[in-house]
Amino acid sequence: MSSLSFNFAPDFRPLAARMRPRTIAEYIGQAHLLGEGQPLRQALEAGRAHSMMLWGPPGTGKTTLAELIAHYSNAHVERISAVTSGVKDIRAAIEQAQAVAQSHGQRTLLFVDEVHRFNKSQQDAFLPFIEDGTVIFIGATTENPSFEINNALLSRARVYLIKRLSQDEIVHIITQALTDPERGLGQRQLVMPTDVLNKLAQLCDGDARKALNLLELMSDMVADGGSFTTEMLVQVAGHQVAGFDKNGDQFYDLISAVHKSIRGSAPDAALYWFCRILEGGGDPLYVARRLLAIASEDVGNADPNAMTVALNAWDCFHRVGPAEGERAIAQAIVYLASAPKSNAVYTAFKAARALARETGQEAVPYHLRNAPTKLMAEMGFGAEYRYAHDEPNAYASGENYFPESLQESQFYFPTERGFEKRIKDKLAQLAQLDQASGRKRYE
């Protein structure tokens, strides 16, 4: 009885795994790192690899890039995920790397996914083996390495920023999967209308893995030679929660976008970013707290009422609950974004704080000191102090309230915007009184 033989075995891996790039030429995205003439690409093509940290959002090619580095470096690969591994797994990977070096004379590339999830002692376990060349260390992280990675480990690995893929790049990846007859869906001759393709690419928000997973789910719903529809996309995608990580970089990016939109007097944009936070399950009260900071930092005395509005929105949320409370926060956002802007108080406070830090030894002038005892009064404490309410216009013109050596200091420079213009005019009137008394408080 003759035996049967097959030229190939079915590949049951998910489409995203099958379509993983095998060469730099197949890799889509990260042109700032892998484009022609870029240092990292030149190093890879020359077979030179170094320890590095790949920092970027999910589905942007961090793992794939690590695999390519291993391929071009002819290195043995050991993989660890910080989600499921501990020191025991790290030790086993290092021992395997040492064995490979002894038996085959081959270097090992140690790829650590989600490296930010390792604690300090676990991260420190890699250090001696990176230094003695046992492994080429490549860590992948979705979190900012500056905050999540030990300085000792960070100093031994170069950080590369892996950018979110553009919509055009996602379209390219989807098209590649649809037309590749070997690894993709090319043999099925499926048709992807342009509008469906663009909606799919937009929905994936720069995540190639998500794009290919949704494409594969849709492909199960259509016969060979058939065409995809928007309805199919809705079925497989369902309600897509806005990209948001309550403890991750994107959370702080969204908060930053709210703040900068308010500072830039763009109420519509500020509302949009606030809603992105809400749709992602973020805490509206965190935004309310930030509004108080914005009220003093960016609006300041141009509209002193801004802080009251922000406080009221916070209080309203506690009194009426999320539904109406979120609307109150939205009202405060629009108010602050539309208000006149001034950072004069913010700037003055920083400058005064800096001077206070530098001149902490300066004594308080005697006339500004309190004299609760007879002895202190006899020493001159409080002598010649002029009580402002007893002076004309309730202002002691020419009086100095600084240490003698700092009496010409000025930190607060009011703007011409909003209520602060009235403050500026008032201070200008007081300066005229100072001049009439023979002394300028401000130059």
Side-chain angles (χ1 to χ4, degrees), residues 15-288:
L15 180 62
R18 301 200 306 269
M19 292 302 301
R20 192 181 295 279
R22 299 161 296 187
T23 64
I24 293 178
E26 292 180 352
Y27 193 94
I28 297 172
Q30 316 311 325
H32 64 295
L33 299 178
L34 298 177
E36 290 290 345
Q38 293 297 331
L40 181 57
R41 177 166 183 159
Q42 292 177 336
L44 296 187
E45 290 178 335
R48 299 190 304 270
H50 54 270
S51 292
M52 64 185 72
M53 203 73 65
L54 304 177
W55 169 32
T60 49
K62 299 186 293 296
T63 301
T64 298
L65 181 53
E67 297 280 0
L68 287 177
I69 293 171
H71 169 72
Y72 280 91
S73 304
N74 190 29
H76 170 71
V77 181
E78 288 290 324
R79 300 173 183 83
I80 294 177
S81 172
V83 177
T84 58
S85 303
V87 173
K88 180 180 178 181
D89 302 282
I90 296 173
R91 188 178 298 114
I94 295 299
E95 290 173 354
Q96 181 62 27
Q98 293 170 332
V100 168
Q102 292 175 2
S103 60
H104 302 290
Q106 187 180 25
R107 296 188 71 186
T108 292
L109 184 148
L110 177 59
F111 176 67
V112 183
D113 198 17
E114 301 289 329
V115 63
H116 61 275
R117 294 180 182 269
F118 275 143
N119 60 35
K120 184 180 186 300
S121 62
Q122 290 170 323
Q123 291 182 27
D124 286 344
F126 297 111
L127 298 178
F129 307 104
I130 296 173
E131 289 188 339
D132 67 13
T134 300
V135 297
I136 304 166
F137 177 88
I138 298 185
T141 176
T142 56
E143 304 299 325
N144 190 328
S146 301
F147 303 136
E148 305 295 338
I149 306 300
N150 293 351
N151 288 334
L153 180 55
L154 205 55
S155 68
R156 291 164 173 80
R158 181 170 179 180
V159 177
Y160 290 104
L161 177 63
I162 306 299
K163 298 180 180 180
R164 191 179 300 277
L165 299 177
S166 69
Q167 187 169 328
D168 287 343
E169 289 167 340
I170 294 293
V171 166
H172 189 171
I173 289 170
I174 295 170
T175 303
Q176 190 180 68
L178 281 170
T179 56
D180 189 320
E182 178 188 351
R183 299 179 297 149
L185 305 171
Q187 291 184 356
R188 297 188 56 191
Q189 298 294 305
L190 301 174
V191 178
M192 175 74 77
T194 302
D195 62 328
V196 181
L197 176 61
N198 289 334
K199 286 179 182 177
L200 173 57
Q202 184 179 17
L203 180 68
C204 295
D205 195 27
D207 187 328
R209 186 187 304 110
K210 181 178 180 181
L212 293 174
N213 287 342
L214 290 176
L215 174 62
E216 187 168 26
L217 289 172
M218 292 173 66
S219 70
D220 293 335
M221 303 169 63
V222 61
D224 291 357
S227 178
F228 295 103
T229 65
T230 302
E231 289 71 23
M232 293 177 185
L233 179 57
V234 171
Q235 278 187 269
V236 300
H239 174 66
Q240 295 295 327
V241 177
F244 188 83
D245 179 354
K246 295 179 184 179
N247 298 311
D249 288 331
Q250 189 167 12
F251 167 73
Y252 295 105
D253 289 344
L254 291 173
I255 288 293
S256 177
V258 171
H259 192 151
K260 289 180 171 64
S261 298
I262 293 175
R263 178 185 292 151
S265 299
D268 297 303
L271 277 178
Y272 168 75
W273 294 118
F274 174 51
C275 291
R276 280 280 298 274
I277 290 172
L278 295 180
E279 288 300 308
D283 181 6
L285 287 180
Y286 187 97
V287 179

Side-chain angles (χ1 to χ4, degrees), residues 304-343:
N305 195 46
M307 193 173 294
T308 301
V309 171
L311 276 169
N312 286 345
W314 191 345
D315 185 51
C316 181
F317 186 96
H318 282 295
R319 290 176 183 270
V320 302
E324 291 81 3
E326 289 170 0
R327 187 171 63 240
I329 294 173
Q331 179 180 341
I333 286 173
V334 171
Y335 185 95
L336 267 62
S338 305
K341 303 297 188 296
S342 171
N343 70 342

Side-chain angles (χ1 to χ4, degrees), residues 355-363:
L355 184 61
R357 188 179 301 116
E358 296 171 3
T359 59
Q361 77 286 349
E362 293 286 348

